[in-house]
Amino acid sequence: MAEALGITTSVIAVIDLSAKVASRCSEYYANIKNARDDIERLQREAQGLKATLERVHSLCDGPNGVRLHDSQSLREGVEDCQKQLAQLQAKLKPRTTNKLMSRYGIRALRWPLKSNEVDRIMEKLGNCKNNISFSLQVDQEVQILNIHQKIVLDKLRSADNAAFDSHDEEHNARCYQGTRAELLRQIYSWASDRGSERIFWLNGMAGTGKSTISRTVAQNFADKGELGASFFFKRGEGDRGHAGMFFATIATQLVQKLPCLAPHVQNTIEADPGISRKALKQQFDALVLQPLGKIRTDPQKSSSIVIVVDALDECDREEDVRTIIRLFSQVKHIASAQLKFFLTSRPELPIRLGFEDIRGKYERLVLHQIPEPIVKEDISSFLEHELATIREDYNKSVTQNRQLPADWPGHTTVQSLVGMAIPLFIFATTVCRFINDRKCGQPKDQLAKVLKYQSRSQASKLDATYLPVLDQLLVGVTISERRGLVEDFQQAVGSIVILASPLSATSLDRLLGVPEGTVDSRTDLLHSVLSIPSRPDHPIRLLHLSFRDFLVDTEKRETNPFWVDEKDAHNKLATRCLKLLSTGENLKKDICNLRTPERPRADVDKQTIASHLPSDIQYACQYWVYHLKESGSIIYDDDQVHNFLKCHFLHWLESLSFIGRLRESIGMVDNLMAIIDVCHSLISTASIY
C-alpha cells in the first residue's frame, strides 16, 4: 500500500513540476524576444511530459492500476523525471535582483539558459518520457488494457478521418503564428476556467476560418493532454457527413485517450451489442457519460477534457444537430473530469434554434463580428508570409533574369488583397494557392488576374475568391468551344462537389462513363480550389465547402457561367450509378466468387472484396438512393429504378453486406418507398422486397 501511494505521489509531483516549468516558460516567452525558439521548445517538452504523466496517473487509478504500482522500471523513470524537472525549475527561477524587479517588474527577466544547455535538457527530458512510455507499454498496455482497448476498437465502428489529426486533415491549415491571438486566448481561458459554461460555440459565415481555428485549438489541447476527442463534420465525406457514427467515434477516441475507460465501454458493448445504432441520447449516455462517471479519481485533481466538434452545419440532419447541442448542455458534473465541448458552425437557423433552446448554458463568439482592424491585421500577416514564401520558392526555381523583386508584391498590393479578403480567410488562402499554381502561370501574372476583380461590383465575396480561378478556363476559347467546356466542367466538377463521399479521378471516370484520364484533364487548372493528389487512384477533395456553395447558389444561375444545377447533377449521378450497377457482371449472385454462401463475411479478406467490388461500384451501391432522393425524382412502373430492383435487388444487398453497409439498406428502402408514385404506379411494398 505504501509503495502504491509512493508512485502515485511521485506522479502527481511530476505533473505539478512540469506544469510549473511550462508556466515559467510562458512567462519568459511573453517578455523575452531573443530566445523564443529555445523557450518554446522547452515549454513543448514540458507539456508533453505532463501529458504523459497524466496518462500514467489515469492508468494508476484504473481498474487494473495495481499492476503498475509493482513496476520497478516505471518507478525509476518517474523518480528520474522528478529529479530532472526539479533541477530545471531551479535554473528557471528568475535571477534578477529585487531592486530591478521592483523598478521594471516582469520586464527585468533574463533567460538563464544557452541553446546548448537547452539541447542537453531536452535530451534528458525526452529520455525520461521515453522510459516512462516504454514502461507503460510493457507493464500496462501490452499486458492488460490493450486487450480491453482492442475489444472496444474492434466492436465500435467509427467514422474514418474524422479526428483533427487524421491523414485527411494533416495538411489543412492551422492559425498562422501571431494571428487570432485574442480569440485563442479567450478559448483557452474558457477551457481552463472551472466556473465557465460547458459549451463554447464559435460561429461565423462561410470562409471566416472556423475549421482552421478548430484544428489549432484541438492541437493545443492535445499538446497539453486535455483533448478528449475531436470530430470534424464534412459534407460529401461519407460518414463524416452525418451523426450516425458521431458518438461511437467520440467514445473510440476517449478510450485511446483514457485507457481506463476501455473496460467500462467494453461492458456496455457486451450488454448491448447494437448500442451504436440506438438513438443519439442512448449512445451518448452509454458510451460516453456513464463510462466517464465510473473512473475513480481524486475530485480535487480532476483534469479538463475538451471535445472539439467542427462544422456542425455540415451534419446532414437538422434534428441530429439540435439533439447533439441539447445533450451536451445537459451534462452534469463528472467527478473524474471537467468535460467541456468546443463547437463551431455557420450561424444557420436550425443551429441558432438549437442554441436558443439552451439559452444561458453556453458561451459564444461570432467570428464575423470581430472588429475589422483585428481581422485586417491577421489577414495581412498571413498574406505577407505566404506571398514571401511564394516569391522565395519561385526565385529558387528560375534564372536570375526571371526572378521576382525582393519586395514583391509590395505593401500596397498586399493591402489591396487584404481589402478584397476581409472578413474571409478563405479568400486569402485560395488566392495564395492560385498565385502559386505554376500550371496556370507565373506568380506576377496570376496576381494580376486576381487584382482585376478588385474594382468589380461583387454581389458576394465568394465571386472574388473563385471567379479568377474559373475564368482562366475560358481564356482564348470561342463561343461554341465555351459551351462544350462549361458542360465538361459541370459534368466533372459538378459531380465532384455533390458526391456523398470522395472518389479518385480514375473511379469517377468509370462512374461517369468517360474515357480514362478525362476527370484528371478537366481538373488540371483547379488545384487552388480542389485537393488533387498526384496519383489518379487517390480521392479528389474539396478544399473548402464554400466552393460548392458558390457553384450551386441558385441566385448565381444567370451570372455564373459555371453554375451547377444541383438537382440535375444528382439526377445524372443516380442514373449513372444504376447504369454502372446494371452493366455486365458488376452485380451478380456470389459477386466475390466464394462458392460457399455460408461463409461469414468477416472471413473474406479486403483484397478479395476490392477486386470484385472496386471503389466506383462500392460508391454506386452505397449512394445511388441518396442521389435519387436529392434529385427530387419519382419512381414509376418499369422505369430505370424499378427494372434495376427487379433484376438486382438481392445482388445489391449482397454487395452492401460485403462492404459493411447492409444495415443502411433499411433506410435506403424506406427512402425509395417514400418516392414511389403511388397514384399511378403498381409498385408495391412486396415488389421492392
Side-chain angles (χ1 to χ4, degrees):
M1 182 67 179
E3 288 181 350
L5 287 174
I7 192 168
T8 300
T9 302
S10 296
V11 168
I12 292 172
V14 173
I15 292 172
D16 184 58
L17 275 170
S18 58
K20 288 178 178 177
V21 167
S23 176
R24 183 70 74 186
C25 287
S26 295
E27 193 175 299
Y28 277 112
Y29 187 92
N31 295 280
I32 292 176
K33 295 183 178 180
N34 60 354
R36 284 192 163 182
D37 286 343
D38 286 340
I39 298 170
E40 192 172 18
R41 285 194 300 141
L42 204 55
Q43 182 183 32
R44 197 181 304 119
E45 189 66 30
Q47 289 173 338
L49 201 53
K50 178 174 177 284
T52 299
L53 268 295
E54 285 176 339
R55 188 172 175 220
V56 175
H57 193 217
S58 173
L59 291 171
C60 287
D61 289 333
N64 298 301
V66 65
R67 298 182 64 167
L68 275 180
H69 298 304
D70 297 330
S71 170
Q72 182 66 25
S73 60
L74 179 61
R75 184 178 296 106
E76 290 174 354
V78 172
E79 289 172 353
D80 183 38
C81 188
Q82 186 175 2
K83 176 184 174 183
Q84 298 296 337
L85 283 172
Q87 292 175 355
L88 177 57
Q89 185 188 27
K91 290 180 180 179
L92 293 180
K93 186 176 180 181
R95 299 288 193 273
T96 309
T97 65
N98 291 334
K99 184 176 180 181
L100 282 174
M101 288 294 286
S102 63
R103 183 172 181 182
Y104 296 104
I106 201 73
R107 291 175 298 167
L109 278 177
R110 295 291 183 272
W111 179 242
L113 301 174
K114 296 179 180 178
S115 282
N116 58 352
E117 290 179 274
V118 173
D119 291 338
R120 288 195 295 272
I121 292 168
M122 291 276 292
E123 183 178 358
K124 290 178 181 178
L125 294 180
N127 288 338
C128 288
K129 186 168 66 174
N130 291 339
N131 290 338
I132 292 170
S133 297
F134 180 77
S135 297
L136 289 179
Q137 181 183 6
V138 172
D139 295 313
Q140 185 68 15
E141 295 179 336
V142 172
Q143 294 179 28
I144 305 170
L145 291 186
N146 242 10
I147 299 171
H148 294 295
Q149 284 181 315
K150 188 176 188 304
I151 292 171
V152 170
L153 299 179
D154 285 345
K155 291 188 176 182
L156 265 188
R157 286 186 62 199
S158 60
D160 292 337
N161 296 309
F164 89 97
D165 55 353
S166 67
H167 178 63
D168 281 1
E169 293 288 322
E170 179 181 7
H171 301 297
N172 288 333
R174 271 65 168 170
C175 293
Y176 176 64
Q177 186 176 8
T179 63
R180 304 293 203 182
E182 177 57 23
L183 184 155
L184 293 173
R185 187 199 65 75
Q186 289 183 49
I187 295 169
Y188 300 147
S189 175
W190 158 80
S192 61
D193 182 359
R194 287 176 174 267
S196 63
E197 298 293 343
R198 292 196 177 275
I199 297 175
F200 190 109
W201 178 33
L202 178 72
N203 78 78
M205 60 187 185
T208 48
K210 299 180 295 296
S211 293
T212 299
I213 294 167
S214 290
R215 284 185 288 270
T216 304
V217 165
Q219 184 67 66
N220 179 276
F221 290 145
D223 290 343
K224 294 190 293 186
E226 295 177 358
L227 182 69
S230 61
F231 194 104
F232 280 54
F233 282 103
K234 195 167 186 181
R235 188 173 296 139
E237 289 279 346
D239 294 323
R240 292 174 62 188
H242 60 82
M245 294 186 187
F246 176 66
F247 285 122
T249 304
I250 296 296
T252 297
Q253 293 180 43
L254 283 171
V255 165
Q256 293 170 320
K257 155 75 176 173
L258 301 170
C260 54
L261 277 178
H264 306 302
V265 177
Q266 181 187 342
N267 291 339
T268 295
I269 297 170
E270 291 174 348
D272 185 357
I275 184 62
S276 61
R277 297 191 293 275
K278 296 292 178 66
L280 291 180
K281 176 173 172 48
Q282 289 176 263
Q283 291 187 48
F284 184 54
D285 288 344
L287 294 174
V288 179
L289 282 191
Q290 292 172 15
L292 281 172
K294 292 175 182 176
I295 302 176
R296 295 172 298 166
T297 60
D298 180 354
Q300 300 301 317
K301 298 293 183 180
S302 62
S303 58
S304 292
I305 294 179
V306 183
I307 293 175
V308 175
V309 182
D310 183 63
L312 265 176
D313 52 284
E314 296 191 37
C315 178
D316 70 356
R317 290 182 61 185
E318 296 174 357
E319 301 89 344
D320 287 347
V321 172
R322 293 182 72 166
T323 298
I324 289 169
I325 294 169
R326 186 176 66 255
L327 289 174
F328 285 170
S329 73
Q330 293 172 353
V331 172
K332 306 299 182 185
H333 177 70
I334 299 175
S336 61
Q338 292 289 314
L339 189 61
K340 294 194 171 185
F341 306 93
F342 177 78
L343 314 177
T344 75
S345 76
R346 298 183 188 183
E348 295 180 350
L349 180 60
I351 299 176
R352 297 203 311 273
L353 292 174
F355 279 102
E356 187 66 22
D357 292 341
I358 63 164
R359 187 188 305 177
K361 295 183 180 180
Y362 67 94
E363 296 187 22
R364 183 180 73 162
L365 195 151
V366 182
L367 274 178
H368 50 270
Q369 291 179 1
I370 292 176
E372 185 173 304
I374 295 176
V375 178
K376 181 177 180 181
E377 185 177 345
D378 287 348
I379 293 178
S380 180
S381 297
F382 172 82
L383 284 170
E384 286 173 357
H385 176 267
E386 290 298 307
L387 292 171
T389 302
I390 291 170
R391 180 187 67 232
E392 292 167 7
D393 290 345
Y394 177 78
N395 286 349
K396 289 175 185 175
S397 67
V398 298
T399 56
Q400 189 170 359
N401 63 311
R402 292 176 55 200
Q403 290 182 357
L404 297 167
D407 61 347
W408 181 90
H411 178 75
T412 302
T413 300
V414 170
Q415 292 310 303
S416 295
L417 292 174
V418 171
M420 295 172 70
I422 291 174
L424 302 186
F425 271 79
I426 189 60
F427 173 92
T429 54
T430 301
V431 160
C432 287
R433 282 193 294 263
F434 179 65
I435 293 171
N436 197 38
D437 190 347
R438 298 284 285 277
K439 287 185 178 180
C440 301
Q442 298 183 60
K444 62 180 181 181
D445 297 329
Q446 295 294 90
L447 176 57
K449 293 175 187 175
V450 173
L451 292 173
K452 287 179 182 178
Y453 291 80
Q454 183 181 4
S455 59
R456 296 190 185 185
S457 173
Q458 297 294 337
S460 164
K461 285 279 186 179
L462 293 182
D463 290 2
T465 304
Y466 294 120
L467 283 179
V469 180
L470 300 183
D471 282 353
Q472 67 178 330
L473 302 178
L474 302 178
V475 173
V477 300
T478 64
I479 294 177
S480 59
E481 290 173 334
R482 173 179 172 139
R483 187 178 301 110
L485 191 150
V486 168
E487 288 175 358
D488 290 345
F489 175 93
Q490 290 168 334
Q491 181 188 39
V493 182
S495 296
I496 289 170
V497 301
I498 67 162
L499 285 175
S501 183
L503 283 173
S504 67
T506 302
S507 295
L508 191 53
D509 283 336
R510 292 197 293 262
L511 180 62
L512 296 177
V514 296
E516 186 173 351
T518 299
V519 171
D520 245 350
S521 66
R522 291 176 184 173
T523 56
D524 263 348
L525 299 181
L526 299 176
H527 285 249
S528 50
V529 293
L530 297 174
S531 174
I532 303 173
S534 56
R535 292 179 51 175
D537 58 340
H538 286 195
I540 297 174
R541 289 183 158 86
L542 292 178
L543 285 168
H544 197 271
L545 187 66
S546 59
F547 181 53
R548 179 190 187 281
D549 297 341
F550 170 75
L551 290 178
V552 303
D553 186 350
T554 54
E555 293 184 2
K556 298 184 186 299
R557 181 171 189 164
E558 303 301 328
T559 58
N560 179 6
F562 296 95
W563 180 75
V564 173
D565 185 329
E566 190 172 1
K567 285 187 178 295
D568 182 59
H570 276 296
N571 184 58
K572 288 176 178 175
L573 273 178
T575 300
R576 283 302 314 165
C577 285
L578 288 172
K579 185 171 183 179
L580 182 66
L581 295 177
S582 303
T583 300
E585 294 192 338
N586 286 338
L587 284 189
K588 64 175 184 175
K589 183 179 179 180
D590 191 19
I591 186 67
C592 291
N593 292 330
L594 301 180
R595 297 184 176 84
T596 50
E598 71 279 4
R599 186 173 175 183
R601 181 234 177 245
D603 292 346
V604 184
D605 62 87
K606 292 181 179 180
Q607 290 77 12
T608 299
I609 296 172
S611 64
H612 292 91
L613 291 167
S615 56
D616 52 309
I617 302 295
Q618 291 192 26
Y619 181 93
C621 282
Q622 194 173 340
Y623 295 115
W624 72 267
V625 176
Y626 162 75
H627 288 301
L628 187 71
K629 178 185 174 186
E630 293 299 311
S631 72
S633 298
I634 301 295
I635 301 175
Y636 297 98
D637 282 351
D638 295 320
D639 68 358
Q640 185 186 30
V641 176
H642 187 199
N643 290 328
F644 168 77
L645 292 172
K646 286 192 294 185
C647 295
H648 294 294
F649 181 67
L650 292 179
H651 305 153
W652 173 49
L653 293 184
E654 179 188 8
S655 298
L656 285 174
S657 175
F658 276 120
I659 64 176
R661 299 286 178 171
L662 182 59
R663 69 179 183 179
E664 296 171 21
S665 64
I666 298 172
M668 295 183 199
V669 170
D670 287 343
N671 286 334
L672 291 174
M673 294 293 295
I675 58 175
I676 292 175
D677 178 29
V678 293
C679 296
H680 303 95
S681 177
L682 298 177
I683 303 174
S684 65
T685 303
S687 71
I688 288 188
Y689 283 94

